[in-house]
Amino acid sequence: MNDMHAMNAPVGRATRFLRYLGQAIAYALFAVGVGYFAAAPAYQYLPADAGEIKLSFSHAAERLGAARERSAQELAALAPNMRQRLDCPRERAPVAVEVSLDGQLLYRDLLQPSGFKRDGAANTYRRFTVAAGAHRLGLRLNDRAGATGYNYVAERDIQLAPTQVLVVDFGPVHGGFVLK
C-alpha cells in the first residue's frame, strides 16, 4: 500500500525543473541546428563562370487530319446523341524542336502529344549549363502535320552573365520563341 501511495504522489519541484531544463536544452539544440543548416553550407547552383539556358514550354500542334462533313447516311447510322455534322480527328502532330548554341546542336527531339487520344500539348523542360559570355542561340520548331523543315525559326545573339538563367519559352501568339 505504501508503494501505491508513492506512485500517485505529485512530482517534486526538482524533477519538474529538470524536465523543463531538458526540454529547453533540446529546443535550443534544434534551433541552433536549423540556423546552421539555413545559412552555413554554401550552395552554388551554377559554377561562377557559367550560365544556364532553360527550354520550357507546352505547345499543342496542328491536328493530324482536317475536319470533314458527314453524309446524311453516316449521320442516320449514328445514335441520336452522336449526330454531329463535322467529324474532326483529335490526334495532334508531334512537335519537332532543335536548340543550337554557336552552331553546335545542344538538343533535338520529337515531342509527342500528351493525352490518351494524343490530343494534348507536347511538353518539354531541359536545362543546359553553358559558359558565360556572348553566344548565338538558334531555335527551331515544327508543329505542322506532315511538313518538313521548321515553321518557327529564331536566331538570337545573347549575352549570358555568370550564374544567369535564361528561360526560353514558346508561344505562337507572341510570334514564336520568347526569351525571358
Side-chain angles (χ1 to χ4, degrees):
M1 182 153 181
N2 199 8
D3 289 336
M4 187 66 110
H5 182 67
M7 289 177 76
N8 291 332
V11 177
R13 278 189 162 165
T15 305
R16 270 187 285 156
F17 174 76
L18 288 176
R19 282 185 185 169
Y20 290 138
L21 180 64
Q23 267 187 332
I25 290 171
Y27 288 139
L29 287 173
F30 179 74
V32 167
V34 167
Y36 172 77
F37 287 115
Y43 174 74
Q44 190 171 357
Y45 180 71
L46 292 170
D49 60 343
E52 185 173 72
I53 298 172
K54 285 186 183 181
L55 175 69
S56 175
F57 67 84
S58 179
H59 177 61
E62 287 183 351
R63 298 197 186 276
L64 282 181
R68 68 174 188 83
E69 197 167 327
R70 289 187 173 121
S71 69
Q73 294 85 6
E74 287 176 311
L75 287 173
L78 293 172
N81 65 325
M82 301 296 290
R83 293 181 184 157
Q84 293 182 3
R85 176 134 337 261
L86 290 178
D87 178 23
C88 299
R90 295 173 57 177
E91 190 173 357
R92 294 188 177 274
V95 175
V97 64
E98 277 189 7
V99 178
S100 62
L101 190 69
D102 299 327
Q104 300 295 317
L105 185 66
L106 284 180
Y107 175 69
R108 176 187 292 153
D109 203 356
L110 187 63
L111 308 171
Q112 297 300 322
S114 61
F116 181 69
K117 297 280 190 176
R118 301 179 76 90
D119 59 346
N123 306 297
T124 189
Y125 176 79
R126 296 286 184 264
R127 299 179 345 187
F128 312 102
T129 302
V130 299
H135 296 284
R136 182 80 173 157
L137 181 64
L139 304 161
R140 291 169 285 289
L141 184 136
N142 181 4
D143 64 352
R144 295 174 297 176
T148 58
Y150 295 94
N151 56 328
Y152 292 96
V153 176
E155 295 283 333
R156 306 267 171 82
D157 289 320
I158 60 170
Q159 182 67 39
L160 204 57
T163 69
Q164 178 187 356
V165 177
L166 174 70
V167 178
V168 178
D169 193 4
F170 180 80
V173 174
H174 304 294
F177 291 99
V178 179
L179 305 181
K180 301 174 188 176

